[in-house]
Amino acid sequence: MSFTLSVLLLQLLSVTHSDVIQKYTLMSGSIELIGQVPNMLVKSVVWTWNKDKVAEWDKGDMTPTYYPTLNKTELNMDTWALTLSDLQPTCNGQYALQINGIETATSFQLIVLESVSGPNISTNCDQRSCNLTCQGAGIDHTEYSWTDNRGRNERGSVLKVEKTKGLDRVYTCNFSNPVSWNTSSVRERELFPPESTDANLYIILGSMGGAVLIAAAIGIAVYIKKRKVPDGEEQGGQVPGGKEPGSADEANGEDENRRFLPSQQPLQQQALQQQGIQMSRIENTDAVCEMNAMA
Ligand SMILES: *[C@@H]1O[C@H](CO)[C@@H](O)[C@H](O)[C@H]1NC(C)=O
Ligand SMILES: *[C@@H]1O[C@H](CO)[C@@H](O)[C@H](O)[C@H]1NC(C)=O
Ligand SMILES: *[C@@H]1O[C@H](CO)[C@@H](O)[C@H](O)[C@H]1NC(C)=O
Ligand SMILES: *[C@@H]1O[C@H](CO)[C@@H](O)[C@H](O)[C@H]1NC(C)=O
């Protein structure tokens, strides 16, 4: 009993239930509203707009009757569909179809919209991240989404981005309504301007410069040491041989060498231990030449 009752109630509900379908249309555009015509002999047809009649046909009429509430309306006498043209926001409202004096199950809510303009992007950044805010004109039926050139895709007007190494991202805001969309983009390079990159570059260059300076300093130090090596070797290596010539100049030379000897001895040993053989050899050659020249 109760089961049959619920079935009856459901059937009643489904009969009285009516769908309202939202229809978005671009301004100046047109739309065709196709109603649900019941499977019965059609004796009269009425389209209403917010309960006012806009088009009517009765059995026997050669043409429909139009009511001048809307700009351009046209009733299709085969399908009973209503076409509205040159739509303006003033055409917004609810459209319903009556067949044989009974409203059909489906009605339409018309919303005429302008096409959206290009949105503005405002940025709020620190050194490594940004909040990108997209702002378009109008709030009704609009939505925002963000994409980047790497496949990121997010809904909402604000996108939080992190600085990337390549600085090659392009962030695009898509501002849309159901009938149009428009985009604006911002390049990552604009968000994190070259100053910060240059600063990094300067740090790198600076440290490179420092390294060069240090290298130069070492080079000079080594060179000075090597210059001194011959003096020492003259003492250690050449002096025994130096005695052989036994010339009169020998005494003067030895005196000069001995004067420098105490301070130069440690340097000389260090130099010999630390420097490569090749370098020492070059220095020795020089030293020998100098020695010979002096002798
Ligand atoms: C996007 O918006 C801009 C600025 O409002 C406009 O110049 C441009 O024509 C629009 N593009 C499209 C495809 O509607
Ligand atoms: C971005 O917005 C969040 C809050 O949503 C805030 O905590 C953060 O500091 C903002 N970042 C910047 C760079 O302004
Ligand atoms: C976008 O920015 C321009 C220039 O500042 C401004 O004239 C326009 O009103 C802005 N549009 C929106 C939707 O904020
Ligand atoms: C922008 O958004 C609209 C609505 O979601 C979509 O139809 C359109 O393809 C999008 N355009 C781009 C370039 O992503």
Side-chain angles (χ1 to χ4, degrees):
M1 284 289 269
S2 63
F3 174 76
T4 351
L5 197 66
S6 6
V7 167
L8 274 170
L9 271 170
L10 273 174
Q11 279 177 345
L12 266 173
L13 280 171
S14 64
V15 165
T16 52
H17 171 79
S18 65
D19 288 323
V20 178
I21 298 173
Q22 300 233 309
K23 288 283 185 183
Y24 296 97
T25 312
L26 196 57
M27 204 144 102
S28 307
S30 64
I31 192 170
E32 185 182 36
L33 304 175
I34 302 170
Q36 273 188 340
V37 180
N39 192 14
M40 58 168 72
L41 182 66
V42 174
K43 287 183 246 170
S44 74
V45 174
V46 175
W47 272 98
T48 58
W49 169 64
N50 296 336
K51 306 293 182 194
D52 291 337
K53 284 182 182 178
V54 291
E56 186 173 21
W57 176 88
D58 283 306
K59 198 173 162 80
D61 291 353
M62 293 299 289
T63 54
T65 306
Y66 296 105
Y67 297 85
T69 44
L70 293 171
N71 297 7
K72 279 188 180 175
T73 56
E74 195 184 325
L75 183 65
N76 183 318
M77 288 176 66
D78 293 323
T79 63
W80 307 116
L82 185 72
T83 299
L84 306 168
S85 309
D86 188 25
L87 287 167
Q88 302 300 318
T90 51
C91 306
N92 285 354
Q94 192 155 342
Y95 292 78
L97 171 64
Q98 292 171 10
I99 301 285
N100 300 344
I102 299 164
E103 191 158 302
T104 56
T106 306
S107 60
F108 303 90
Q109 184 74 37
L110 181 71
I111 296 157
V112 178
L113 297 169
E114 285 184 70
S115 58
V116 295
S117 61
N120 289 343
I121 295 172
S122 58
T123 62
N124 190 1
C125 297
D126 59 24
Q127 299 281 338
R128 337 187 144 265
S129 70
C130 285
N131 290 334
L132 307 179
T133 305
C134 189
Q135 178 68 61
I139 50 165
D140 289 338
H141 312 286
T142 56
E143 65 176 37
Y144 297 89
S145 63
W146 280 96
T147 53
D148 76 6
N149 54 346
R150 299 293 181 88
R152 189 176 170 187
N153 194 336
E154 281 182 30
R155 291 180 164 275
S157 62
V158 179
L159 184 73
K160 191 167 167 59
V161 302
E162 304 283 335
K163 186 179 182 178
T164 70
K165 269 187 187 164
L167 282 178
D168 57 358
R169 302 279 160 105
V170 180
Y171 300 104
T172 301
C173 170
N174 182 354
F175 177 57
S176 63
N177 65 19
V179 294
S180 66
W181 54 269
N182 203 329
T183 60
S184 292
S185 296
V186 63
R187 293 175 175 280
E188 190 177 13
R189 260 175 228 287
E190 301 166 31
L191 302 173
F192 305 105
E195 284 94 80
S196 49
T197 325
D198 282 356
N200 287 341
L201 198 63
Y202 290 147
I203 290 165
I204 292 163
L205 284 178
S207 47
M208 280 171 70
V212 167
L213 278 178
I214 291 164
I218 290 169
I220 290 164
V222 164
Y223 179 72
I224 289 168
K225 279 179 192 172
K226 283 171 188 167
R227 291 285 296 181
K228 285 170 181 172
V229 166
D231 294 337
E233 284 197 344
E234 193 184 324
Q235 278 312 87
Q238 300 287 348
V239 167
K243 280 174 185 172
E244 276 177 13
S247 68
D249 298 328
E250 190 189 331
N252 292 338
E254 275 191 311
D255 281 349
E256 272 177 20
N257 287 336
R258 272 174 196 143
R259 243 177 277 147
F260 293 109
L261 194 59
S263 60
Q264 286 182 0
Q265 195 72 40
L267 273 176
Q268 169 210 352
Q269 281 169 358
Q270 248 186 345
L272 284 171
Q273 283 159 8
Q274 288 178 356
Q275 286 158 21
I277 290 158
Q278 211 170 2
M279 291 172 104
S280 307
R281 201 195 299 151
I282 292 162
E283 289 295 329
N284 285 348
T285 314
D286 281 349
V288 169
C289 291
E290 278 175 29
M291 269 276 295
N292 289 348
M294 275 172 71

